[in-house]
Amino acid sequence: MSTAPQKCVEPDATTIEALSDDQVATMTKALGHPVRLRIVRLLSERHTCVTGDLAAQFPLAQSTVSEHLRVLRDAGLIQGEIEGVRTSYCVNVAALAALKAALGSL
Amino acid sequence: MSTAPQKCVEPDATTIEALSDDQVATMTKALGHPVRLRIVRLLSERHTCVTGDLAAQFPLAQSTVSEHLRVLRDAGLIQGEIEGVRTSYCVNVAALAALKAALGSL
DNA sequence: TCTCTTCATCGTAATTCGACGATAGCCGAT
DNA sequence: ATCGGCTATCGTCGAATTACGATGAAGAGA
């Protein structure tokens, strides 16, 4: 499983833009679920991971994990890259940095 | 409106404990709503504020804002103190610091 | 005491969320 | 060309969320 050379576009973390309240709310809402929080944590540790390996970490149906990935992707916190038959996900470091910056002002 | 000397217990920010995934998820979920995010921002700026003044900031019913305050309170992000007929809210700096610390590891 | 103000809670309706199984698309290998 | 594995999407359900008005408790002041 996942022995292929996985690469996932790492956006340069220098382009940090200020986020609107709605954007911040969308991101924090996306993180506001134990499974999604754990997914981000896993991706942060492993740097990158394919859907199947991710789904195997939870006692959930594959479709459910895929849905969580979609929420995180829509929020801009992660991004997926199709690699043949699989999809590799990685955290969007720029977005995460922007979120931290926004929360820092609280 | 709100001319009384308002004080709100500020927990010492030194007692920062590590949060569980569920705690972090609960907090981020609480922040995952534009109105609640704005409430925290307002409290962070004004240092303290009574329910009525807070409710006046939004085109929402008083009961709705009160409910949002309850969510934030249950998440531990803010705390209210009854002052006579009013209730004064303030951010829980320790909890917020703990949350930032937890998100920092992402 | 009576009234006014302030706030939280209750009941309710509409919407969204979280989970599942089933399905369809797509790629690689046989 | 067909088969088999990997993902995303769709339809559906029960549960949770968000909003409202109405109600009730409790302090402040006339």
Side-chain angles (χ1 to χ4, degrees), chain A residues 64-76:
Chain A
T64 302
V65 176
S66 185
E67 172 70 7
H68 284 307
L69 289 170
R70 187 190 62 77
V71 174
L72 289 170
R73 186 164 14 100
D74 286 355

Side-chain angles (χ1 to χ4, degrees), chain B residues 3 16-17 23 26 33 42 45-46 53 55 59 65 74 76 79-80 87-88 104:
Chain B
T3 56
I16 302 180
E17 291 181 27
Q23 286 177 305
T26 299
H33 189 290
L42 284 171
E45 293 169 355
R46 303 186 174 195
D53 294 351
V65 175
D74 287 354
Q79 46 198 156
T87 306
S88 215

Side-chain angles (χ1 to χ4, degrees), chain B residues 1-85:
Chain B
M1 56 286 287
S2 69
T3 56
Q6 298 164 349
K7 64 165 183 225
C8 199
V9 268
E10 284 267 346
D12 63 274
T14 61
T15 60
I16 302 180
E17 291 181 27
L19 301 172
S20 70
D21 270 18
D22 281 353
Q23 286 177 305
V24 175
T26 299
M27 288 183 179
T28 51
K29 184 177 181 181
L31 287 178
H33 189 290
V35 170
R36 290 196 290 264
L37 181 64
R38 214 134 110 72
I39 287 175
V40 174
R41 206 186 294 287
L42 284 171
L43 288 180
S44 192
E45 293 169 355
R46 303 186 174 195
H47 189 71
T48 180
C49 200
V50 296
T51 303
D53 294 351
L54 240 22
Q57 301 292 318
F58 304 97
L60 295 172
Q62 175 267 327
S63 58
T64 302
V65 175
S66 185
E67 172 70 7
H68 282 307
L69 288 170
R70 187 190 62 76
V71 173
L72 289 170
R73 186 163 14 99
D74 287 354
L77 288 170
I78 67 173
Q79 46 198 156
E81 185 175 325
I82 300 175
E83 293 181 354
V85 76

